[in-house]
Amino acid sequence: MSRLDTQDVTWLVVGGAPRSGTTALGAALNQSTDVALLHEYSSKVLFDSLNILFSEELRMRTQPDFDRYSHLFPIRDRDEKIIAQAVFRAVFKKDARFIGTKFPGHHAWPQPAYPEWLGFKEIHITRNPFDVVLSMVKKDHSQGVKPADVENALYWWINAWNHTIDRAAADDFLNVFYDSLVVDHAEWHRKITDFLGEIGDFSLGEFRSTSSVVPSIKYGQANMSEYLPLIECVAKQEDWLAGAIAAYQNRQKIGFPLLDGQEIDLRRGSSGWRYIDSGFYSAEDGGAWTCGRQSELLFTLDGEYSGSISLSFDIVWAAEVHERGRDVVISLNSKTVFHSVVSLGSRNGAGTTLSIFVPDFEWKARSTVSLKLQVVEPVNPRREGLGDDNRELGIMIRKISLSKL
């Protein structure tokens, strides 16, 4: 029996990229007597606050008269569920079976440890990137648009999309396509009702059909036409929804655009984090350490190309033990292009450049490239008695570049 079958109260998250319709969907669901969603309230903040209530319980349990006085202070097993439900009852004036939060970008925030008595479900809403980016920029940067504003807006849309791909197969996850919902309320009402378990007392009538004006005209009216090519690296203006549905069904992630001649700079304060999908520690001044056995970067190259390329890695550190470097495997779209021991020796900290010739490489428009680095045996300095650092380290990378030959 799954957790979903055993809990009578479920934490419900309505998420998605900012400006994707999360507020409207949250408001629609809050019409139900069975749903109570806070407005952009961090899940972790709420459950961390509950944990504070029970911190004294641990101390009191060490006292010999604990059982005698336990009815006079909060006890987690007895009271946590009741207190959590009371918070939502106080705010919403109803006893809801689904409690939670409407929070765009929720997946990218620190996550709590959910109590065992609480189920979990997530509804994610995905809107086309042209409207999302335009809406984000117009809302937050009405006094003047800079390239970084558009790039950040596009990044958060891509980040949200990739989250849907990671979660797509989960029983507790539902992805809603905004561009479909606004024209077919009944179908999405049915899907949401089925997902939540026959909850139907809500309406999606506030969702209105979006403008039929094509993105090129919208961006021209907003004096933002120069930014269209960046978004078109990852999405088609025409019939975006059909392509997105197919990509979702095929579990296709999207990489941030990497324009011709552009480097992926992984140092602190640089923009290389936009390309990291998994497996890197937080950037430092020198670069970013790989985390664990496998690290992956995703990027989308503009245009089309078929031929030879050169991959260049600016490596600053290698986690060496007894003067032995790390066994590293590098693959490009699952094809191994490098396998050797990376050892810097006396150059550790000063760095070196690793150049890899790839004789036969092809990409098509709007196709995502996966760059994976596998460190066969990462080093944990604390475990090896080399210091207090408890991370699983492989190599630290400053920059990565790709060049056509």
Side-chain angles (χ1 to χ4, degrees), residues 305-310 357-361 403-405:
Y305 179 75
S306 179
S308 302
I309 63 169
S310 173
F357 173 71
V358 182
D360 185 18
F361 185 67
S403 303
K404 302 174 186 176
L405 299 178

Side-chain angles (χ1 to χ4, degrees), residues 326-358:
R326 294 301 93 201
D327 189 4
V328 176
V329 181
I330 299 175
S331 62
L332 204 56
N333 287 345
S334 300
K335 180 180 179 180
T336 299
V337 296
F338 175 86
H339 186 185
S340 185
V341 173
V342 175
S343 177
L344 272 64
S346 61
R347 293 173 298 171
N348 236 338
T352 190
T353 299
L354 173 64
S355 295
I356 302 171
F357 173 71
V358 182

Side-chain angles (χ1 to χ4, degrees), residues 192-323:
I192 293 171
T193 297
D194 290 348
F195 177 68
L196 295 180
E198 301 307 319
I199 290 178
D201 56 336
F202 66 93
S203 170
L204 299 174
E206 292 301 313
F207 283 88
R208 303 301 183 197
S209 295
T210 54
S211 169
S212 59
V213 177
V214 296
S216 58
I217 295 178
K218 291 181 182 179
Y219 275 68
Q221 294 171 340
N223 295 318
M224 288 177 54
S225 296
E226 63 185 289
Y227 301 111
L228 270 177
L230 179 73
I231 306 172
E232 288 180 303
C233 278
V234 300
K236 292 178 64 176
Q237 286 195 45
E238 303 82 13
D239 203 15
W240 172 82
L241 181 60
I245 291 174
Y248 182 76
Q249 292 173 341
N250 292 327
R251 307 293 189 257
Q252 295 175 5
K253 286 192 170 184
I254 296 175
F256 192 81
L258 183 67
L259 305 181
D260 194 24
Q262 186 178 3
E263 295 180 319
I264 298 176
D265 191 334
L266 296 177
R267 292 174 295 181
R268 179 162 35 212
S270 299
S271 60
W273 49 270
R274 293 173 176 157
Y275 301 94
I276 294 175
D277 184 64
S278 61
F280 281 88
Y281 290 107
S282 298
E284 303 174 23
D285 290 340
W289 280 103
T290 58
C291 170
R293 292 182 178 272
Q294 183 165 288
S295 308
E296 183 173 12
L297 301 102
L298 299 174
F299 50 89
T300 301
L301 299 164
D302 58 330
E304 298 187 357
Y305 179 75
S306 179
S308 302
I309 63 169
S310 173
L311 279 176
S312 178
F313 295 82
D314 188 356
I315 301 173
V316 188
W317 289 90
E320 302 197 14
V321 179
H322 305 305
E323 299 183 351

Side-chain angles (χ1 to χ4, degrees), residues 54-158:
F54 304 107
S55 60
E56 276 293 276
E57 177 187 356
L58 298 177
R59 181 183 66 82
M60 297 295 287
R61 282 187 178 278
T62 65
Q63 306 301 314
D65 52 0
F66 171 81
D67 291 333
R68 181 180 178 184
Y69 294 106
S70 62
H71 65 291
L72 299 176
F73 49 82
I75 301 295
R76 185 182 297 275
D77 290 347
R78 183 190 67 207
D79 304 323
E80 185 178 38
K81 178 179 178 181
I82 297 171
I83 293 172
Q85 290 179 296
V87 170
F88 285 85
R89 188 179 303 115
V91 174
F92 293 95
K93 308 300 186 290
K94 59 183 174 181
D95 290 306
R97 183 156 60 94
F98 291 90
I99 59 176
T101 185
K102 185 284 300 186
F103 201 124
H106 183 276
H107 64 278
W109 284 67
Q111 301 297 305
Y114 291 103
E116 286 298 318
W117 53 266
L118 187 65
F120 180 85
K121 285 196 173 186
E122 179 183 9
I123 298 178
H124 190 99
I125 187 163
T126 299
R127 187 181 184 183
N128 80 79
F130 296 98
D131 285 347
V132 167
V133 170
L134 187 61
S135 182
M136 285 180 66
V137 171
K138 289 174 66 175
K139 175 179 180 290
D140 298 329
H141 305 284
S142 58
Q143 301 305 312
V145 180
K146 300 176 182 178
D149 303 329
V150 177
E151 292 167 4
N152 286 335
L154 179 59
Y155 167 78
W156 285 114
W157 182 87
I158 291 172

Side-chain angles (χ1 to χ4, degrees), residues 153-183:
L154 179 59
Y155 167 78
W156 285 114
W157 182 87
I158 291 172
N159 181 272
W161 171 270
N162 288 341
H163 173 70
T164 70
I165 302 305
D166 286 335
R167 296 273 287 131
D171 292 337
D172 59 4
F173 181 82
L174 174 67
N175 183 53
V176 175
F177 281 105
Y178 176 96
D179 301 75
S180 173
L181 182 152
V182 296
V183 296

